[in-house]
């Protein structure tokens, strides 16, 4: 189509001029409706179901209704694009933040938090892949074949969220050997269920242990991780100068994502293997790009080339929060019912088993490694490993609203170490999808790594070393 003709404002040019803004507007509208419904219906509020999940579900149902009467309103491909890019943008904004811990965390506990995240991913990958391999082997002749690889999407949907689950669902769909046709909807379904598992199970956990008298609810003054009036802003750029402060934050995030795009382009031309890794892990390259910017800015500040702080934690929180909310709404709305109906059994089995094994493993580790704040740690870790970091933070703040325990600091400090523990899973995805035999080999590797990481976590019990407990008066000492 002629570019100039595209600006002829007629309905014929809707897709060129208005399609993006209409889809973007739908996401915002239904996010707002989801928030209204959450405030009106006590059940959603008590269960801590995110407004974005409710909004995405409303948009999904409304689109199904409109499709049945011949007027679909959701552009599925565009929703998938939103989901993909919002993951990278959210990670870039989170990484750009500079956190100051109120409670110091030990180096050993940083290692243990990272090992727990790696161990949970490996356990989910091993169990999920083992389940679908068995389903594949025992599929009777004449039945619809259940792909052996779809179980590997469990750790991506639960631990990584809609963005990465969507990406690798599509990647596996495009590999003929997998006999998989999720078309993105399988991964998005698992991720959506993960949000519900995080919220509902987290609330049940709080209520059960509250009745047992093991945890005490405290007034939750806010859910924000930082507030503008609690930060030292004396050395920051003014809110409004020649360029607005928020604009500067967006420029930093955009530059981080531009670096990520450059990394992906370089990987794309090196080999087919690096090409698949490059485009599939946009969030990881975005985090690396943001880290490079932080290092560069720190050097400029140290040499007095840059006189003021240009990165604002509060606004970076808002950018990442907006990106993740948008990702969730778009991810749920992008589910195609016709694609998922053939995979109902594996979705149900993987979701249920994934919930149980994640709960048991994190609960055991919390009790053993994080005495003194085991419940706060469990809620943060379980919410993160079934939903997102936002789910984990919200659940944890229900019993630790003032961030007295080192839980949030541990999560931040262990981020890049956790990436190293999780890296084997990410780099084995392409290998596992290339053939059934490779999937079986990968399953064995995941099990071995889970055992290794678990040995790190339970090393005190294995080698009979004494654990130094966190003082019981940690709450009163740090208030």
């Amino acid at each position: 189509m002629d570019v100039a003709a595209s600006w002829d404002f007629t309905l014929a040019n809707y897709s060129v001029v208005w399609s993006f803004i209409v889809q973007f507007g739908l996401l915002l509208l239904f996010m707002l409706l989801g928030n209204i419904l959450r405030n009106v219906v006590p059940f959603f509020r008590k269960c801590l179901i995110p407004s974005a999940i409710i909004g995405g579900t409303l948009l999904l149902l409304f689109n199904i209704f409109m499709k049945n009467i011949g007027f679909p309103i959701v552009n599925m491909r565009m929703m998938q694009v939103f989901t993909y890019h919002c993951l990278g943008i959210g990670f870039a904004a989170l990484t750009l933040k500079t956190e100051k811990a109120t409670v110091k965390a030990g180096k050993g506990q940083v290692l243990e938090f990272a090992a727990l995240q790696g161990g949970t991913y490996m356990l989910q990958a091993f169990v999920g892949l083992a389940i679908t391999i068995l389903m594949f082997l025992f599929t009777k002749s004449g039945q619809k074949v259940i792909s052996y690889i779809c179980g590997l999407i469990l750790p991506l949907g639960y631990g990584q969220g809609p963005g990465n689950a969507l990406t690798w669902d599509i990647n596996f769909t495009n590999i003929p050997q997998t006999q998989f046709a999720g078309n993105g909807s399988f991964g998005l379904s698992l991720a959506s269920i993960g949000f519900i598992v995080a919220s509902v199970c987290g609330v049940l956990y709080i209520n059960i242990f509250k009745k047992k008298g093991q945890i005490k609810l405290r007034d939750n003054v806010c859910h924000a991780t930082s507030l503008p009036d609690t930060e030292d802003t004396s050395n920051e750029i003014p809110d409004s100068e020649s360029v607005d402060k928020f604009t500067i934050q967006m420029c930093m995030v955009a530059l981080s994502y531009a670096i990520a795009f450059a990394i992906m382009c370089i990987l794309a031309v090196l080999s087919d293997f690096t090409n698949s890794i490059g485009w599939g892990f946009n969030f990881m390259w975005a985090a690396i790009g943001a880290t490079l910017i932080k290092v560069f800015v720190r050097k400029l500040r140290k040499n007095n080339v840059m006189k003021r702080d240009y990165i604002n934690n509060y606004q970076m929180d808002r950018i990442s929060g907006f990106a993740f909310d948008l990702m969730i709404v778009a991810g749920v709305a992008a589910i195609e019912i016709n694609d998922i109906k053939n995979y109902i059994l594996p979705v149900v089995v993987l979701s249920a088993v994934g919930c149980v094994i994640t709960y048991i493993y994190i609960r055991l580790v919390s009790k053993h490694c994080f005495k003194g704040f085991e419940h706060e740690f469990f809620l943060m870790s379980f919410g993160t490993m079934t939903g997102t970091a936002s789910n984990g933070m919200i659940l944890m703040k229900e019993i630790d609203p003032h961030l007295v325990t080192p839980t949030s600091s541990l999560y931040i400090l262990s981020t890049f170490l956790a990436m190293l523990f999780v890296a084997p899973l990410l780099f084995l995805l392409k290998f596992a999808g290339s053939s059934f035999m490779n999937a079986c080999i990968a399953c064995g590797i995941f099990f071995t790594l889970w055992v290794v990481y678990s040995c790190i976590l339970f090393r005190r019990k294995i080698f009979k070393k004494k654990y130094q407990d966190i003082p019981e008066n940690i709450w009163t000492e740090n208030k």
Side-chain angles (χ1 to χ4, degrees):
M1 179 182 289
D2 182 24
V3 175
S6 68
W7 287 96
D8 179 12
F9 292 101
T10 64
L11 193 58
N13 289 322
Y14 163 80
S15 61
V16 178
V17 180
W18 278 101
S19 181
F20 172 81
I21 204 68
V22 168
Q23 297 299 306
F24 185 66
L26 281 172
L27 293 177
L28 298 181
L29 173 62
F30 278 86
M31 191 187 301
L32 183 61
L33 291 175
N35 188 60
I36 293 172
L37 189 60
R38 186 180 187 272
N39 290 325
V40 171
V41 181
F43 172 78
F44 292 139
R45 193 166 59 253
K46 290 178 181 178
C47 290
L48 300 180
I49 303 294
S51 300
I53 278 285
I54 301 171
T57 304
L58 289 175
L59 182 54
L60 173 65
L61 296 175
F62 185 64
N63 185 57
I64 292 173
F65 170 76
M66 295 299 291
K67 190 183 292 186
N68 287 335
I69 64 175
F71 295 98
I73 62 169
V74 172
N75 184 322
M76 292 297 184
R77 178 55 59 85
M78 194 170 291
M79 290 298 165
Q80 292 178 347
V81 171
F82 273 119
T83 304
Y84 175 81
H85 287 301
C86 283
L87 178 67
I89 292 169
F91 264 82
L94 275 180
T95 309
L96 283 168
K97 287 176 55 184
T98 303
E99 289 290 345
K100 296 180 180 179
T102 56
V103 178
K104 291 184 179 180
K107 292 181 180 178
Q109 289 183 326
V110 172
L111 171 67
E112 287 165 349
F113 202 163
L116 171 63
Q117 293 182 65
T120 307
Y121 274 111
M122 298 307 157
L123 178 61
Q124 290 174 343
F126 158 66
V127 173
L129 199 52
I131 288 172
T132 50
I133 284 175
L134 290 174
M135 285 184 172
F136 176 80
L137 289 174
F138 288 100
T139 301
K140 293 181 181 179
S141 178
Q143 290 182 340
K144 182 71 177 180
V145 175
I146 295 176
S147 174
Y148 60 85
I149 200 62
C150 58
L152 194 50
I153 301 176
L154 174 63
L156 304 178
Y158 268 29
Q160 298 267 305
N164 221 16
L166 165 72
T167 301
W168 283 95
D169 183 326
I170 293 175
N171 284 343
F172 290 145
T173 300
N174 292 332
I175 299 175
Q177 299 94 304
T178 63
Q179 302 180 60
F180 181 58
N183 294 313
S185 295
F186 184 91
L188 293 174
S189 298
L190 277 178
S192 300
I193 294 171
F195 291 123
I196 298 172
V197 166
S199 301
V200 175
C201 293
V203 171
L204 288 174
Y205 181 93
I206 292 172
N207 289 327
I208 289 171
F209 283 94
K210 177 188 174 185
K211 289 180 180 179
K212 290 182 177 180
Q214 295 187 28
I215 61 176
K216 181 181 178 182
L217 292 177
R218 287 165 170 78
D219 291 335
N220 198 345
V221 293
C222 65
H223 283 306
T225 56
S226 57
L227 292 172
D229 58 353
T230 61
E231 290 190 2
D232 180 14
T233 59
S234 58
N235 204 35
E236 291 190 355
I237 58 175
D239 287 333
S240 182
E241 204 175 38
S242 58
V243 179
D244 190 87
K245 182 190 283 189
F246 183 76
T247 305
I248 296 294
Q249 311 310 306
M250 289 299 299
C251 290
M252 292 288 188
V253 173
L255 183 57
S256 302
Y257 207 39
I259 294 173
F261 181 69
I263 294 173
M264 288 186 277
C265 287
I266 292 170
L267 291 172
V269 299
L270 292 178
S271 68
D272 290 339
F273 175 71
T274 55
N275 177 60
S276 65
I277 293 175
W279 302 114
F281 301 121
N282 65 323
F283 69 98
M284 189 164 65
W285 313 128
I288 291 174
T291 303
L292 293 175
I293 290 175
K294 282 175 67 175
V295 171
F296 182 67
V297 168
R298 196 178 297 124
K299 289 285 185 182
L300 293 180
R301 290 280 288 130
K302 187 176 180 180
N303 295 324
N304 286 326
V305 176
M306 184 180 287
K307 304 295 183 182
R308 291 182 172 181
D309 294 323
Y310 279 78
I311 298 175
N312 179 272
N313 283 355
Y314 174 73
Q315 293 188 347
M316 286 300 175
D317 267 333
R318 306 287 66 77
I319 294 171
S320 62
F322 175 71
F324 288 143
D325 282 341
L326 206 66
M327 176 187 72
I328 295 170
V329 178
V332 177
I335 296 173
E336 177 57 63
I337 300 300
N338 289 331
D339 289 334
I340 202 64
K341 65 183 181 182
N342 294 323
Y343 295 98
I344 295 297
L345 179 60
V347 165
V348 171
V349 173
L350 289 172
S351 299
V353 175
C355 173
V356 172
I357 62 171
T358 304
Y359 177 93
I360 293 173
Y361 187 62
I362 295 178
R363 179 74 181 124
L364 290 173
V365 174
S366 300
K367 290 174 67 176
H368 178 71
C369 297
F370 300 93
K371 296 179 180 180
F373 58 104
E374 64 180 77
H375 298 296
E376 292 82 3
F377 180 84
F378 172 85
L379 291 169
M380 179 70 187
S381 300
F382 182 78
T384 301
M385 293 308 303
T386 52
T388 63
S390 298
N391 292 98
M393 185 65 72
I394 290 171
L395 288 169
M396 187 265 292
K397 282 194 171 185
E398 287 296 310
I399 60 174
D400 184 13
H402 304 292
L403 303 183
V404 175
T405 65
T407 308
S408 59
S409 300
L410 281 170
Y411 178 78
I412 295 160
L413 293 171
S414 66
T415 300
F416 279 97
L417 187 57
M419 279 188 174
L420 296 178
F421 280 101
V422 178
L425 165 65
L426 303 180
F427 289 110
L428 282 170
L429 289 171
K430 183 75 173 180
F431 171 80
S434 58
S435 70
F436 175 76
M437 182 57 66
N438 287 353
C440 295
I441 294 171
C443 189
I445 294 173
F446 294 142
F447 175 75
T448 303
L449 289 172
W450 172 67
V451 172
V452 172
Y453 295 164
S454 296
C455 287
I456 294 173
L457 290 166
F458 294 98
R459 64 190 183 280
R460 295 183 185 88
K461 182 173 289 188
I462 295 171
F463 299 106
K464 308 297 181 182
K465 288 188 176 182
K466 189 177 180 181
Y467 185 91
Q468 291 183 343
D469 290 344
I470 300 293
E472 292 182 3
N473 60 344
I474 185 173
W475 289 94
T476 56
E477 286 184 351
N478 292 285
K479 277 191 176 180

